[in-house]
Amino acid sequence: MKESRCVRSLCAFVLMLGTGLAFMVTPGAVAETPLVLDWRVIGTGIASCVPSAGIIPTDICTFEGGGPFPGGALGTHIGRGTYVVNVTTGTNVPTILGGNCFTATGSGTVTAASGDKINFNTVGWLCEEGVPASPLQYNGTYRICSPPTLTSLTCPTPGTGRFSAAAGGGSLAATLTSALPASITPPSSTTGVSFFKIDGMINFF
């Protein structure tokens, strides 16, 4: 009787151990687990701001590096790649030094060394750092465009390749050595050197 009870206990332990090991090595379980990772990208290139046509005066500012443009991007999970960000200015708020801060919204793309793309939306402030027509600083946030859902219609273009189902967000900062056309009379396009940084997190399978 005691021997039978012992055998049953031993069998139960072996079965439990086997189940635990099977769970640990199941390929499907590993493959379906998203990687929650820090994501940092730094870059340099050119930037330009162009007055846009329309009843409401706005400016479209572009930060880009790599490919046909000088500079490029270097970051975790992408290697050496390229970047482009486009933001459109909106309402302005005067600063204490006489310059302006403008609300800004837009989108961007980071392309990895493999050619896979990470697309994102961004919103923030584009500010003259001093007096009118002084260099610009952009400080904002980003959200990676996941595959479209009812709650992500404002970000309809997901990434490509291994980033096709990526998600994430964080901070995005950039600078432009030239001034915003709205602060120049008459308004005209401006081009200068840009520095760019993403600091946040990314999930991908």
Side-chain angles (χ1 to χ4, degrees), residues 86-157:
N86 293 287
V87 295
T88 300
T89 62
T91 305
N92 69 295
V93 177
T95 68
I96 192 171
L97 296 178
N100 287 281
C101 281
F102 298 83
T103 58
T105 58
S107 60
T109 299
V110 170
T111 303
S114 62
D116 296 342
K117 298 181 183 297
I118 302 170
N119 296 316
F120 55 86
N121 275 351
T122 182
V123 59
W125 287 90
L126 188 65
C127 296
E128 295 167 322
E129 64 181 44
V131 299
S134 60
L136 295 166
Q137 299 183 20
Y138 177 75
N139 285 282
T141 58
Y142 73 90
R143 181 177 70 85
I144 295 175
C145 296
S146 303
T149 65
L150 292 177
T151 59
S152 64
L153 297 179
T154 59
C155 201
T157 307

Side-chain angles (χ1 to χ4, degrees), residues 76-87:
T76 50
H77 319 303
I78 69 159
R80 194 172 293 275
T82 65
Y83 72 93
V84 59
V85 180
N86 293 287
V87 295

Side-chain angles (χ1 to χ4, degrees), residues 158-186:
T160 64
R162 67 185 182 127
F163 302 117
S164 59
S171 63
L172 189 157
T175 60
L176 169 58
T177 56
S178 294
L180 200 68
S183 294
I184 300 174
T185 305

Side-chain angles (χ1 to χ4, degrees), residues 36-54:
V36 183
L37 302 168
D38 288 334
W39 189 39
R40 177 172 293 185
V41 181
I42 56 175
T44 185
I46 64 171
S48 61
C49 291
V50 180
S52 61

